[in-house]
């Protein structure tokens, strides 16, 4: 099975509204064109303990299940950038200056790389570099976690590079589809028993329910997963809705 793919979006500026997140929709797009899906997304403030504990948990899942994670933000050199140290702590390794990252920064900035810019070459020991096509200040990867800047113009090409370099064997390998119907005159509460029945009959699929804000109490109801299973499940779902007496239509 294709491993789950998740993202962390880190920074108080996102949570305070000073910056608008541009990563979530872009990652979904980058994955979708490659036949992949995003399994989860977490927003984290600049709280080292929270960042470290989250990374420890997802690194454990990476080790056990091959989970792939991208992390945006917090890898600069200012006092409020904690992600590099948190990644090292989560991985149980020391921070050390990466000679390859130093070379990239020196090539871009020359003598002005010192004394501050070079701090952005201090990475968890044993990590791999992610090239930055904009200013050559690299990101890094460790334990199938890939850490890139918060700036979209830098980070999005870096995510593409990671996908193309390490995970092209996963592209378009999933026979994955999503299908749904619109059910009228029914709220979600009217459909819960049927939803539970569907999940018991098709445990390998995911069910989703999206109520619409209109006067007809319309609910979008659907399944997603392996295509043949989804086809069978949708036929059963439609029969179940009909048996309950609610009108429905294909989307």
């Amino acid at each position: 099975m294709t491993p789950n793919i998740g993202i962390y979006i880190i920074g108080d500026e996102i949570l305070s509204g000073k910056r608008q997140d541009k990563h979530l929709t872009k990652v979904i797009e980058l994955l979708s064109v490659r036949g992949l899906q995003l399994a989860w997304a977490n927003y984290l403030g600049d709280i080292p303990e929270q960042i470290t504990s989250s990374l420890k948990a997802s690194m454990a899942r990476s080790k056990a299940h091959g989970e792939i994670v991208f992390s945006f933000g917090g890898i600069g050199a200012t006092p409020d950038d904690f992600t590099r140290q948190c990644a090292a702590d989560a991985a149980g390794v020391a921070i050390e200056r990466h000679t390859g990252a130093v070379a990239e920064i020196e090539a871009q900035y020359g003598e002005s790389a010192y004394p501050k810019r070079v701090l952005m070459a201090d990475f968890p020991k044993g990590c791999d570099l992610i090239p930055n096509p904009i200013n050559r200040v690299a990101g890094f990867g460790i334990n199938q976690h890939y850490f890139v800047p918060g700036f979209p113009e830098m980070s999005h090409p870096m995510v593409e590079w990671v996908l193309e370099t390490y995970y092209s064997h996963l592209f378009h390998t999933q026979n994955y589809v999503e299908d749904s119907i619109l059910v009228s005159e029914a709220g979600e509460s009217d459909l819960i028993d049927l939803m539970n029945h569907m999940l018991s009959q098709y445990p390998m699929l995911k069910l989703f329910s999206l109520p619409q804000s209109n006067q007809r109490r319309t609910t979008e109801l659907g399944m997603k997963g392996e295509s043949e299973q989804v086809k069978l499940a949708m036929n059963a779902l439609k029969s179940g809705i009909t048996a309950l007496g609610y009108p429905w239509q294909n989307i």
Side-chain angles (χ1 to χ4, degrees):
M1 295 180 62
T2 301
N4 282 343
I5 302 174
I7 62 172
Y8 293 114
I9 300 168
I10 297 174
D12 286 348
E13 67 277 7
I14 298 292
L15 301 180
S16 69
K18 290 183 178 180
R19 293 273 180 89
Q20 298 300 310
D21 169 44
K22 297 182 180 179
H23 302 304
L24 177 59
T25 55
K26 185 62 177 181
V27 170
I28 292 171
E29 174 192 324
L30 294 176
L31 294 176
S32 179
V33 298
R34 293 168 172 82
L36 301 170
Q37 296 81 40
L38 184 66
W40 56 264
N42 287 349
Y43 290 86
L44 301 174
D46 294 318
I47 305 170
E49 297 81 6
Q50 183 185 60
I51 298 170
T52 301
S53 63
S54 296
L55 291 173
K56 278 185 178 179
S58 55
M59 285 185 183
R61 295 195 301 272
S62 294
K63 183 177 181 180
H65 307 295
E67 191 157 287
I68 301 164
V69 178
F70 294 95
S71 176
F72 297 86
I75 64 171
T78 58
D80 61 340
D81 288 320
F82 303 113
T83 304
R84 289 178 292 118
Q85 184 63 58
C86 291
D89 292 343
V93 300
I95 284 279
E96 67 177 19
R97 189 149 293 178
H98 194 294
T99 56
V102 171
E104 286 290 291
I105 293 172
E106 288 179 339
Q108 179 73 12
Y109 295 104
E111 293 183 1
S112 67
Y114 296 89
K116 300 303 182 185
R117 286 191 174 97
V118 74
L119 295 174
M120 291 185 287
D122 293 347
F123 290 153
K125 184 177 181 179
C127 73
D128 298 312
L129 295 186
I130 304 172
N132 185 329
I134 303 299
N135 65 3
R136 301 184 70 170
V137 179
F140 64 95
I142 187 169
N143 295 344
Q144 292 198 178
H145 282 54
Y146 303 94
F147 298 86
V148 296
F151 299 106
E153 65 272 19
M154 299 179 187
S155 60
H156 297 168
M158 295 168 79
V159 169
E160 288 196 89
W161 183 89
V162 169
L163 290 171
E164 295 291 337
T165 301
Y166 297 119
Y167 299 109
S168 61
H169 62 285
L170 299 177
F171 297 172
H172 304 291
T173 57
Q174 293 177 291
N175 188 11
Y176 179 94
V177 297
E178 178 178 310
D179 197 7
S180 62
I181 58 175
L182 280 179
V183 183
S184 300
E185 314 301 342
E188 287 183 299
S189 60
D190 301 311
L191 305 173
I192 287 176
D193 288 343
L194 177 59
M195 292 184 204
N196 285 327
H197 173 73
M198 294 300 302
L199 288 174
S200 69
Q201 295 299 304
Y202 300 92
M204 297 302 293
L205 301 181
K206 286 188 175 182
L207 178 145
F208 60 94
S209 173
L210 302 170
Q212 311 292 312
S213 57
N214 56 34
Q215 298 301 311
R216 295 195 64 194
R217 299 179 69 218
T218 303
T219 302
E220 181 181 353
L221 194 59
M223 309 291 291
K224 52 187 175 181
E226 192 274 327
S227 61
E228 285 303 315
Q229 285 289 299
V230 168
K231 183 177 179 180
L232 292 172
M234 289 305 298
N235 287 335
L237 181 62
K238 293 171 184 178
S239 296
I241 295 295
T242 299
L244 290 173
Y246 299 116
W248 59 268
Q249 64 185 57
N250 290 311
I251 298 179

